[in-house]
Amino acid sequence: MKNRGLNTTIVLEKENPQINNPNKYNGEALDHPLISAPNTITKKLYLESYGCQMNFSDSEIVASILNEQGFITTKNFQESDLILLNTCSIREKAEITVRTRLKSFNKLKRKNPKLIIGLLGCMAERMKETLLEEEKLVDLVVGPDAYRDLPNLIQEVEGGQKSVNVLLSREETYADISPVRLDSNGVSGFISIMRGCDNMCSFCVVPFTRGRERSRSPLTIIAEAKELYKNGYKEVTLLGQNVDSYRWNINKKGTVIDPNIPTTNFAQLLAMVAQVGNDMRIRFSTSHPKDMTDEVIHTMNKYENICNYVHLPVQSGSSKILKKMNRGYTKEWYLDRIKSIRNIIPDCAISTDIITGFCDESEEDFNETLNLMKEVKFDFAYMFFYSERPKTLAERKYEDNVPEDTKRARLQKVIDLQRKHATESNEACIGKTVKVLIESTSKKSNLDFSGRNDENCKVVFPKENAVKGTFVNVLIEKCTSATLIGKIV
Ligand code: SAH
Ligand code: SF4
Ligand code: F3S
């Protein structure tokens, strides 16, 4: 049978820029050949992804597993046999969006009773059977560590049962599964280097939905990076909730597990990936202020192709609030990390995440956040107001006592200040020439290309004779708070 290629639909949660980073999925959806085309393609899968980049990366694993079972993906849910929603629980709003979507998909079932609707990802893990048994909105519930079981679970549903597997694992990393690159621009790819999180920040649901932290073998990571390079990719982003705690063959206490194989920390892994191809850019996300070492910053500095860009979420500028958030650092510690980055790599771009209105946040605490922003002048920020999440330490122990309108008003102040800083930082680029990796045609004009510079800022310029997936030098002539605009020189 003819190889049909794959498609998927990526749905982004509007309120949440962290999970809706236009830089990450701004390419045209490309059809990619199936890695192993099954002989009898009979079923169609419609897969929608929400949440962070790791969830999108997981969808590529799911597509790969189901591809082996004869599923091809479709962009049209009306013609699908199986609808899967890979979901996020980070804020309440993310879950509300998915519920609404499930209700609308359920209407299709009246016309097509054989249609299977499944819930994957963090919301599946958090809610377990609830959406299946109480609300009867889904046939299938599968947590982030149980995707290998999908073929069996789907078979059970086809046999007339409802199916659930939300077991979390201490080992699963899907290391051996070659992801099917979905909605990729063919230029930048993502590699998950670890799963789960052991940090227990008091506001965060991730440790409950993704389980314990575990790292993936460096050999399989390098193999995946080589595969991307071979296929013409020019940028890879290494993904983990806290990449600085990546470790292989060494336990948490620092004891070597097997003396016959080398140990690998994050800085070493970064160096290994950087050596795959010196014309392939390397990025990584997310760094954690309590764990980011100078060794990582020196490694970034040593390899030309590791981008001068660090995403270092601060959350709050008040040490009192940081303690309550259980972040493991103070304001002073955070500022010291910033100092180190700027000492070692003076032109390094730095972005962050900020939460306003966490439990007990006073006007004074909030002002400390604004002051820290003024001191650091972040190039970019993802900003949210606090949303209480079930089971977290904050939900169990603290009162969600900042009124919603105060949370929102503070968020607006943070957004306004950040916009001012981003504009200033972009204005400083005017007149400079920057190296840009061309990612796609600009959304606003067919005549323009869009790409990013080393510092992860979006750059738009007339296409001329340039080619997607190559590097060009662009002279910056003007800017907005989010985009640099120029021409190829
Ligand atoms: N592992 C990353 C963050 C993952 S979640 C880190 O530790 O930095 C992405 C961002 O969502 C967080 O940095 C935080 O700013 C935000 N977030 C997480 N839980 C939240 C909640 N309950 N309410 C509002 N924002 C939240
Ligand atoms: Fe959540 Fe904290 Fe882990 Fe980030 S480090 S995923 S905020 S618990
Ligand atoms: Fe959301 Fe789960 Fe990622 S809660 S942010 S999809 S790890």
Side-chain angles (χ1 to χ4, degrees):
M1 176 167 284
K2 194 165 175 278
N3 182 339
R4 294 275 308 272
L6 289 174
N7 267 321
T8 188
T9 299
I10 304 293
V11 171
L12 301 160
E13 189 207 356
K14 285 213 179 59
E15 186 205 58
N16 177 352
Q18 165 82 34
I19 63 173
N20 183 10
N21 181 345
N23 291 332
K24 290 180 181 162
Y25 273 94
N26 61 356
E28 314 102 274
L30 289 184
D31 281 349
H32 283 282
L34 296 175
I35 286 170
S36 56
N39 292 328
T40 47
I41 292 176
T42 47
K43 292 170 273 181
K44 286 189 177 155
L45 158 69
Y46 175 80
L47 175 58
E48 240 176 51
S49 306
Y50 299 77
C52 62
Q53 203 57 61
M54 302 202 65
N55 233 26
F56 285 78
S57 182
D58 279 3
S59 289
E60 300 187 333
I61 304 277
V62 168
S64 176
I65 292 170
L66 291 181
N67 177 208
E68 294 285 323
Q69 303 297 312
F71 280 94
I72 57 158
T73 53
T74 170
K75 283 204 159 186
N76 178 5
F77 62 79
Q78 309 269 9
E79 63 165 28
S80 61
D81 305 288
L82 171 64
I83 294 180
L84 295 177
L85 267 64
N86 193 1
T87 60
C88 172
S89 289
I90 200 84
R91 283 164 287 271
E92 196 185 6
K93 171 87 192 321
E95 294 196 349
I96 294 171
T97 313
V98 166
R99 258 170 201 282
T100 314
R101 198 71 178 137
L102 282 177
K103 283 182 188 148
S104 92
F105 283 140
N106 262 276
K107 291 191 190 128
L108 290 174
K109 276 206 148 191
R110 278 180 226 142
K111 277 190 247 152
N112 175 10
K114 280 200 168 156
L115 174 68
I116 299 175
I117 302 179
L119 189 74
L120 313 180
C122 291
M123 200 173 159
E125 192 61 50
R126 195 184 78 69
M127 306 199 59
K128 305 201 168 31
E129 293 86 0
T130 323
L131 288 173
L132 193 149
E133 284 174 358
E134 289 167 23
E135 304 187 41
K136 303 205 177 349
L137 280 174
V138 291
D139 308 297
L140 181 69
V141 177
V142 191
D145 286 346
Y147 297 145
R148 285 183 202 267
D149 200 20
L150 264 168
N152 300 328
L153 297 166
I154 291 169
Q155 232 173 31
E156 281 177 19
V157 177
E158 284 169 344
Q161 298 172 39
K162 304 270 177 187
S163 272
V164 181
N165 186 345
V166 287
L167 285 175
L168 286 171
S169 154
R170 278 174 176 257
E171 282 96 37
E172 181 64 273
T173 58
Y174 301 109
D176 56 314
I177 295 180
S178 180
V180 170
R181 305 284 162 191
L182 297 168
D183 275 60
S184 165
N185 55 15
V187 177
S188 37
F190 297 85
I191 303 182
S192 290
I193 62 164
M194 57 208 293
R195 299 180 70 81
C197 184
D198 281 353
N199 278 326
M200 291 290 174
C201 301
S202 63
F203 53 80
C204 185
V205 79
V206 172
F208 303 93
T209 62
R210 294 257 160 184
R212 299 305 296 271
E213 181 192 289
R214 67 221 95 124
S215 296
R216 177 179 168 188
S217 107
L219 291 180
T220 63
I221 296 169
I222 299 302
E224 202 175 318
K226 284 187 174 160
E227 183 70 18
L228 285 172
Y229 187 61
K230 200 180 86 194
N231 290 330
Y233 281 74
K234 289 288 157 38
E235 183 178 278
V236 313
T237 304
L238 306 180
L239 299 173
Q241 292 297 354
N242 175 1
V243 290
D244 301 293
S245 59
Y246 176 88
R247 62 193 150 82
W248 186 251
N249 194 30
I250 186 160
N251 69 19
K252 253 191 167 168
K253 291 185 185 131
T255 315
V256 175
I257 299 165
D258 180 347
N260 298 314
I261 46 175
T263 61
T264 312
N265 66 18
F266 181 60
Q268 290 160 337
L269 179 75
L270 206 49
M272 284 154 77
V273 180
Q275 289 168 64
V276 167
N278 57 13
D279 58 341
M280 182 163 79
R281 273 182 174 173
I282 316 299
R283 298 186 187 278
F284 52 92
S285 192
T286 301
S287 303
H288 198 299
K290 82 175 162 60
D291 297 319
M292 185 165 162
T293 58
D294 284 358
E295 189 191 354
V296 169
I297 313 170
H298 283 296
T299 307
M300 292 172 67
N301 195 35
K302 183 170 167 197
Y303 294 91
E304 183 76 26
N305 59 332
I306 304 179
C307 291
N308 287 345
Y309 170 65
V310 181
H311 182 60
L312 197 66
V314 64
Q315 315 298 0
S316 166
S318 150
S319 293
K320 175 193 111 186
I321 296 297
L322 287 171
K323 183 147 198 269
K324 231 180 156 119
M325 287 177 162
N326 198 26
R327 285 291 287 178
Y329 55 87
T330 58
K331 171 179 90 178
E332 289 73 23
W333 174 277
Y334 185 86
L335 291 172
D336 174 74
R337 294 291 74 217
I338 298 289
K339 207 165 110 193
S340 249
I341 298 171
R342 295 209 162 129
N343 277 342
I344 300 167
I345 313 173
D347 56 350
C348 191
I350 301 171
S351 61
T352 201
D353 292 352
I354 292 172
I355 299 177
T356 65
F358 186 63
C359 315
D360 283 349
E361 185 188 71
S362 65
E363 217 37 53
E364 209 176 299
D365 295 318
F366 174 63
N367 280 330
E368 286 200 68
T369 299
L370 295 178
N371 288 338
L372 181 132
M373 289 175 73
K374 286 177 196 159
E375 193 165 340
V376 179
K377 293 219 163 74
F378 295 105
D379 296 271
F380 189 85
Y382 299 104
M383 299 156 281
F384 317 96
F385 64 82
Y386 173 57
S387 161
E388 187 178 78
R389 305 310 292 135
K391 267 184 153 179
T392 57
L393 187 100
E395 187 255 351
R396 286 180 286 121
K397 296 260 168 71
Y398 308 143
E399 200 190 332
D400 182 9
N401 54 6
V402 177
E404 179 150 337
D405 52 354
T406 310
K407 286 181 184 174
R408 285 182 188 271
R410 288 179 185 169
L411 176 62
Q412 194 54 52
K413 279 192 186 160
V414 165
I415 292 172
D416 291 343
L417 182 61
Q418 180 51 37
R419 189 167 293 144
K420 180 171 167 277
H421 291 159
T423 309
E424 283 167 11
S425 128
N426 283 353
E427 277 169 358
C429 289
I430 294 175
K432 289 189 182 153
T433 299
V434 299
K435 189 173 165 191
V436 179
L437 172 60
I438 306 178
E439 288 172 10
S440 57
T441 295
S442 157
K443 279 194 195 118
K444 288 199 180 136
S445 161
N446 269 336
L447 302 174
D448 291 346
F449 268 138
S450 166
R452 274 170 300 145
N453 65 0
D454 210 48
E455 289 74 25
N456 208 34
C457 190
K458 187 173 160 190
V459 185
V460 173
F461 49 92
K463 285 182 172 172
E464 297 182 22
N465 295 322
V467 178
K468 192 178 102 170
T470 60
F471 292 94
V472 286
N473 288 320
V474 177
L475 173 68
I476 305 306
E477 296 172 316
K478 50 186 183 174
C479 71
T480 67
S481 66
T483 314
L484 300 173
I485 302 154
K487 64 170 187 230
I488 297 175
V489 288

